[in-house]
Amino acid sequence: MWIAEKILQAVSTVRTKEMGSFGLDEPLQCPWTERLRHITWGWYMITMSTGGIALLLHQTPHQFNGLATIGVIVFIFNLVLFVAISISLLYRFVWTPSSFKSSLTHPTESLFFGTFWLTLATIISNIQVYGIQSSGPWLTVVVRVLFWVYAALTYLTAVLQYWHLFSGRSVTLQSFTTAWIVPVFPVMLTGTIASLVAEDQPPSQAISMIVAGTAFQGLGFIVALLMYANYIGRLMTGGFPDPDTRPAMFIAVGPPAFTGLALSGMAQVAISKFPTHYITGTSSVPTAEVLRVVSVFISIFLWAVSFWFFSITVLCILTCFRDLTFHLTWWSFIFPNTGFVLATIEIGKELGSNAIAVACSVLTVLIVVIYLLVGTCHIRAIYRGKILWPGKDEDKEE
């Protein structure tokens, strides 16, 4: 450990000398051993976005030779990032034991704890789409276990985190942000995961997953819907957020998009997994077919809500584009909008629309380009000491 600290200090010294020519407001004189103590839960926004890109590459309408391989590479890269961030967080918590508790109770950082679970959601989903076809039945069992463990833990997290937020903090409309939706986001994605993994499960297990996915998807969306009332009230009374945090407005795009995606996907699985008349008391109407028809119309209904939030956020960002400075919330450019594109892809498939398929392929390319730009800005911000720096991350005192 002593040797590692010396190496990190030497690298920091060299970097400090290099940065003198950039004319920064403050030279980089903070050693990396100190900088790593300011890594936060929000860094998992990188991995949940990278995992979302891998899913999008698998689902995009216009496939070509090698795209599946690229998707696998992105998935593996995401796993590497996940391990690296997890080790860095462990370093912080080991060297500053009190930081673990404070990270879960901090008024800002605690809101991003959900990004850890969202990353796990993308990992489970990518295991399903990239791993099941090339492995034995054992992986199907592993995915099933992971699904139920994820559902239980994210529900518990949503209950405890909101209990803490409701009991220990007073919030005004002026201080309300879309980040308050994040604690319920992971449990909501139980439905999205179910729409992917239930297809390869035995019928009895698949039906249980679909029922659980529907229940938790509904829970997450309704809670998010209640939060929307406060969010819109904040915009009406206080105006738009500061330019640095405006990309986080894209978080509002996610709940309706992922809900439409989940309902549509689970209805498709139900066609092959449900008995003809699953609901007790019905004998003349096939349950699964009714669910599929209803899910398409609900998905379109919710898509419009998602698109409305998307449009307002885009206009809001364009009006202050020159004032934007990098923040971890820039990764909101990726993950919620990935859900929006995936939901659009599903609607296009259900309607058999080639125009929607073409538009979704274009949006896929655009999302990937934005991902690369945000990643470049993130690296640049680290290099310049704008993040991962004392007093500049989510763990700072407010």
Side-chain angles (χ1 to χ4, degrees), residues 21-71:
S21 60
F22 283 86
L24 298 179
D25 295 333
E26 51 183 328
L28 295 182
Q29 297 178 346
C30 184
W32 279 97
T33 50
E34 176 61 27
R35 294 185 70 176
L36 285 177
R37 296 182 187 183
H38 296 280
I39 192 169
T40 64
W41 293 109
W43 276 67
Y44 283 114
M45 296 182 73
I46 307 171
T47 46
M48 73 180 192
S49 298
T50 307
I53 291 292
L55 282 174
L56 187 57
L57 293 177
H58 181 269
Q59 298 293 102
T60 192
H62 295 88
Q63 298 283 320
F64 58 85
N65 292 334
L67 185 58
T69 302
I70 295 174

Side-chain angles (χ1 to χ4, degrees), residues 27 42-43 67 113 147 150 155 192 196 271 274 339 351 388 398:
W43 276 67
L67 185 58
F113 178 56
F147 171 83
Y150 176 88
Y155 177 76
T192 307
L196 290 171
I271 294 292
F274 273 1
L351 299 179
L388 205 62
E398 297 187 347

Side-chain angles (χ1 to χ4, degrees), residues 149-216:
V149 171
Y150 176 88
L153 292 180
T154 53
Y155 177 76
L156 183 63
T157 299
V159 171
L160 293 178
Q161 194 162 8
Y162 277 120
W163 172 81
H164 170 72
L165 291 171
F166 294 157
S167 63
R169 177 180 177 181
S170 59
V171 179
T172 63
L173 283 178
Q174 286 68 32
S175 62
F176 187 89
T177 68
T178 52
W180 272 69
I181 301 176
V182 175
V184 81
F185 220 131
V187 71
M188 182 179 64
L189 285 197
T190 301
T192 307
I193 299 174
S195 69
L196 290 171
V197 306
E199 180 65 35
D200 292 302
Q201 299 295 327
S204 60
Q205 296 291 340
I207 292 174
S208 299
M209 287 181 171
I210 291 173
V211 172
T214 302
F216 288 135

Side-chain angles (χ1 to χ4, degrees), residues 231-249:
Y231 171 52
I232 293 176
R234 181 257 185 272
L235 294 178
M236 294 181 67
T237 58
F240 293 122
D242 294 334
D244 291 354
T245 59
R246 287 191 186 185
M249 293 174 64

Side-chain angles (χ1 to χ4, degrees), residues 46-165:
I46 307 171
T47 46
M48 73 180 192
S49 298
T50 307
I53 291 292
L55 282 174
L56 187 57
L57 293 177
H58 181 269
Q59 298 293 102
T60 192
H62 295 88
Q63 298 283 320
F64 58 85
N65 292 334
L67 185 58
T69 302
I70 295 174
V72 171
I73 293 173
V74 174
F75 175 39
I76 294 174
F77 176 61
N78 188 46
L79 293 178
V80 172
L81 288 175
F82 177 74
V83 171
I85 294 172
S86 299
I87 291 175
S88 299
L89 271 172
L90 183 62
Y91 170 84
R92 171 193 172 189
F93 297 148
V94 168
W95 281 97
T96 312
S98 61
S99 63
F100 178 70
K101 180 180 179 180
S102 64
S103 72
L104 298 177
T105 57
H106 190 277
T108 298
E109 184 182 2
S110 63
L111 295 176
F112 292 93
F113 178 56
T115 60
F116 166 76
W117 298 105
L118 290 172
T119 294
L120 293 183
T122 64
I123 290 176
I124 296 172
S125 299
N126 279 307
I127 290 174
Q128 171 67 31
V129 300
Y130 289 112
I132 291 294
Q133 300 302 325
S134 58
S135 64
W138 64 271
L139 190 57
T140 301
V141 177
V142 170
V143 168
R144 181 164 69 243
V145 172
L146 290 175
F147 171 83
W148 288 113
V149 171
Y150 176 88
L153 292 180
T154 53
Y155 177 76
L156 183 63
T157 299
V159 171
L160 293 178
Q161 194 162 8
Y162 277 120
W163 172 81
H164 170 72
L165 291 171

